Amino acid sequence: LSYCLAEKIDLQLLEKNARALEIYKVSRQSQVIILDPIGLRGVCFIFSNGTMVTWGIKRYQLRPFLNLVAHSSNQLLAKPLFDGVSY
C-alpha cells in the first residue's frame, strides 16, 4: 500500500519519535526511514517527500504509522492519496 500524506515529513523528528516508542526497529537510509514493527510482519518506508509505503501490513494495522507521520509533519495534506497494489 502506498500513501501520500504530507507535503514534507521531518525524518529527523520521525526517527526520534519512532525510537521513543520502542515498538519499531528503526533504520535510516538517505531520505527514507524504515520501520520494522516488533511482533508484526511487514515493513513501512516513510520518505521525506510525504510518501509512506507499506509491505505486508494490513490497512487495519496502519493507525500507529499514520499517527507517527502526523506527529512528524506540520504540512499534512487535507485529503491524503492512496494507492493499493496486491500480488
Side-chain angles (χ1 to χ4, degrees):
L1 302 173
S2 64
Y3 302 86
C4 186
L5 303 168
E7 292 291 330
K8 184 177 179 184
I9 296 173
D10 182 340
L11 293 184
Q12 192 170 16
L13 179 59
L14 184 128
E15 182 177 12
K16 178 184 165 196
N17 291 341
R19 289 187 190 281
L21 292 173
E22 298 181 350
I23 59 172
Y24 304 107
K25 292 179 195 170
V26 181
S27 57
R28 183 171 184 170
Q29 295 180 0
S30 187
Q31 295 299 308
V32 62
I33 296 289
I34 303 166
L35 302 176
D36 184 2
I38 297 168
L40 182 67
R41 294 183 77 184
V43 65
C44 179
F45 302 89
I46 303 175
F47 299 86
S48 62
N49 68 359
T51 305
M52 179 174 85
V53 176
T54 62
W55 190 262
I57 299 172
K58 305 290 184 191
R59 286 183 194 158
Y60 69 87
Q61 299 170 314
L62 288 176
R63 181 62 48 202
F65 299 97
L66 297 172
N67 289 340
L68 189 57
V69 169
H71 288 97
S72 303
S73 177
N74 59 4
Q75 302 173 15
L76 294 176
L77 298 179
K79 189 170 184 172
L81 304 172
F82 163 77
D83 185 23
V85 177
S86 296
Y87 292 95

